Amino acid sequence: MTDGRLLEAVRSMPRAEFVPADEVASAYRDTPVPLPHGQVTTQPSLIAMMVSALGLTGDEQVLEVGTGCDWQTALLARMTAYVVVERGAAEFNSAHARRHTHNVGTGTGPHPENPARPNAPGPPPEAG
């Protein structure tokens, strides 16, 4: 991984705050971490590869589907103009991402920077 912006986002984003309390000791291992409801996180190196493959410049708007623990959402929010989170996932856990970012929304209601524009950005990062 050579993207300096991504490296800084990973370094500054405390993954331990995005996993269940009983899994904090596993937060910085490069392994999936169990989440409630039978879900697991994606391992950090795979998230970094997916985000890096997007070639983000900082002006993008992305749709994040199936956010799990929201660590990837928070990384994307640090690296893009705006992230819209799938509504079901947003209700599950987006409070963590919002604590670390200001540009995450649920896709309901108007776009935060232009109320006349719908809040619907491009394809999800995993679609690439």
Side-chain angles (χ1 to χ4, degrees):
M1 184 170 55
T2 59
D3 183 335
R5 290 177 55 239
L6 177 56
L7 287 169
E8 179 56 31
V10 169
R11 283 187 193 116
S12 67
M13 195 58 54
R15 189 169 184 242
E17 292 184 22
F18 292 85
V19 300
D22 60 338
E23 295 293 339
V24 168
S26 300
Y28 296 104
R29 294 184 189 132
D30 191 27
T31 60
V33 174
L35 296 173
H37 311 291
Q39 295 182 320
V40 295
T41 65
T42 302
Q43 66 193 59
S45 62
L46 184 53
I47 289 174
M49 283 190 278
M50 290 187 301
V51 172
S52 180
L54 294 172
L56 300 171
T57 64
D59 296 326
E60 299 84 3
Q61 296 181 29
V62 296
L63 171 63
E64 175 73 306
V65 178
T67 62
C69 74
D70 283 333
W71 189 68
Q72 178 174 309
T73 303
L75 292 177
L76 288 168
R78 290 272 174 105
M79 298 184 65
T80 63
Y82 193 71
V83 177
V84 173
V85 180
E86 172 197 12
R87 186 167 172 76
E91 293 168 351
F92 175 66
N93 211 11
S94 70
H96 292 303
R98 288 184 182 163
R99 237 186 323 182
H100 296 282
T101 62
H102 67 280
N103 58 337
V104 175
T106 63
T108 60
H111 187 279
E113 296 173 10
N114 182 353
R117 188 167 128 201
N119 196 350
E126 293 84 1

